[in-house]
Amino acid sequence: MKPRKASLALVLAGSLALSFAALAHADSGARIDAASAPAGTDPRLKVALQNSVAQRVTDAGLARSLEGYSLSPSLVQLRRYVEPGQKHARLVCIVGLALSSDRGVVADVRGSVVTVGTSQLSAVDAAAQAAVARLPAVLSQLQARDPNNRVAQR
């Protein structure tokens, strides 16, 4: 396959995967938007981030609590570095989750991970897990701030 055709095939496959991911999670109660990332990021990482957030929300049993909200995942940072005197590269990954309601963005949650010897996909998944793990506390704070907000009470 020629490079141009391969690029087109990759874009089409990524778009198709996003469509299927959206359909698979449409009935989960939580709306997970397409992931964003800095320019030049491998499209597969964005798809992996969206899927990882959706899976982590389901695994944590948060889908019902997130009804009426949408989550917008973003890959804030993904980079390798070697500290002076070290032989092995570390991979730093920071994931952001913007929690939105009909009032707009109501919270921004971040999760991060520093790994050695893992893949980018594993680091993205671990950072997504760290971000999703912070959502219950954020939802509790939102409910405490506005006890009449029926969305936050779910």
Side-chain angles (χ1 to χ4, degrees):
M1 195 178 281
K2 293 181 181 178
R4 185 165 177 90
K5 286 184 180 179
S7 296
L8 180 59
L10 181 63
V11 170
L12 288 174
S15 298
L16 193 59
L18 282 173
S19 299
F20 286 138
L23 287 173
H25 298 291
D27 61 350
S28 69
R31 192 177 100 217
I32 313 293
D33 296 332
S36 64
T41 301
D42 185 341
R44 293 175 294 185
L45 287 174
K46 293 195 303 188
V47 171
L49 174 57
Q50 180 186 8
N51 290 340
S52 182
V53 168
Q55 184 62 49
R56 297 301 179 174
V57 164
T58 301
D59 291 349
L62 293 173
R64 182 156 168 78
S65 299
L66 289 169
E67 286 180 13
Y69 290 103
S70 66
L71 279 175
S72 300
S74 62
L75 184 60
V76 177
Q77 183 180 76
L78 182 63
R79 68 180 178 100
R80 290 189 188 279
Y81 70 94
V82 179
E83 289 185 359
Q86 298 294 317
K87 294 181 182 181
H88 301 288
R90 291 181 182 219
L91 185 60
V92 175
C93 183
I94 302 172
V95 166
L97 297 176
L99 182 65
S100 303
S101 71
D102 56 353
R103 298 178 185 181
V105 176
V106 294
D108 188 24
V109 179
R110 288 197 174 183
S112 63
V113 66
V114 177
T115 64
V116 177
T118 61
S119 70
Q120 289 181 333
L121 291 173
S122 295
V124 166
D125 183 53
Q129 181 178 9
V132 170
R134 292 188 169 103
L135 286 174
V138 169
L139 290 169
S140 293
Q141 289 174 352
L142 288 172
Q143 183 179 358
R145 217 182 301 160
D146 187 4
N148 295 322
N149 182 359
R150 292 178 34 210
V151 173
Q153 291 176 358
R154 290 185 189 159

